[in-house]
Amino acid sequence: QVLLAESGGGSVQAGGSLRLSCAASSSTDNFHCMAWFRQVPARESEGVAVIDSDGRTRYANSVKGRFTISQDNAKNTLYLQMNSLRPEDTALYYCAADSWAFCSGSLELKNYRHWGKGAQVTVSS
């Protein structure tokens, strides 16, 4: 069973920065894709960023230029560096991963079989 655990959430003022981490219970070398999603109550999950095993990344237009996804396979950890945060970035952020190639470049949660419980990010104006 793959376990993913997010950390690093919190409260910040608009314009500030946070870095989320996602620790995997197994080697991240085994995953073809790792991604970040976010969700606010009463809305569907939104794909934020994905990184493939070859290092290619893709971002949602809403975060492009402000967020950076990266992973450290030596630490089995995925990161999301979030800069220039806005109130509309407030959400529960969670990581997802899969070893199958159909997740490649995907920002749709249906293409991932493993995800964590999430970390809350709150941005105040």
Side-chain angles (χ1 to χ4, degrees):
Q1 182 181 4
V2 174
L3 298 177
L4 301 171
E6 301 88 348
S7 61
S11 297
V12 65
Q13 290 190 325
S17 298
L18 283 173
R19 187 177 80 157
L20 299 179
S21 299
C22 170
S25 61
S26 60
S27 174
T28 50
D29 282 329
N30 294 330
F31 298 132
H32 187 80
C33 323
M34 297 192 76
W36 288 98
F37 291 82
R38 65 186 181 186
Q39 186 167 24
V40 296
R43 293 179 62 181
E44 291 187 0
S45 292
E46 176 190 12
V48 175
V50 56
I51 184 167
D52 289 353
S53 56
D54 59 5
R56 287 183 295 180
T57 59
R58 181 186 173 199
Y59 296 90
N61 288 335
S62 58
V63 306
K64 201 172 294 183
R66 300 187 297 124
F67 290 11
T68 302
I69 188 170
S70 63
Q71 67 182 81
D72 185 338
N73 289 336
K75 296 182 178 180
N76 295 329
T77 302
L78 177 74
Y79 301 100
L80 184 68
Q81 177 66 44
M82 304 183 292
N83 298 328
S84 302
L85 283 161
R86 305 167 180 168
E88 54 264 38
D89 294 319
T90 295
L92 180 71
Y93 285 73
Y94 55 102
C95 60
D98 208 288
S99 57
W100 290 8
F102 60 64
C103 65
S104 180
S106 175
L107 292 176
E108 294 184 71
L109 187 59
K110 67 179 182 180
N111 291 324
Y112 296 83
R113 293 176 292 165
H114 313 289
W115 54 87
K117 295 182 177 180
Q120 180 66 36
V121 171
T122 302
V123 184
S124 59
S125 58

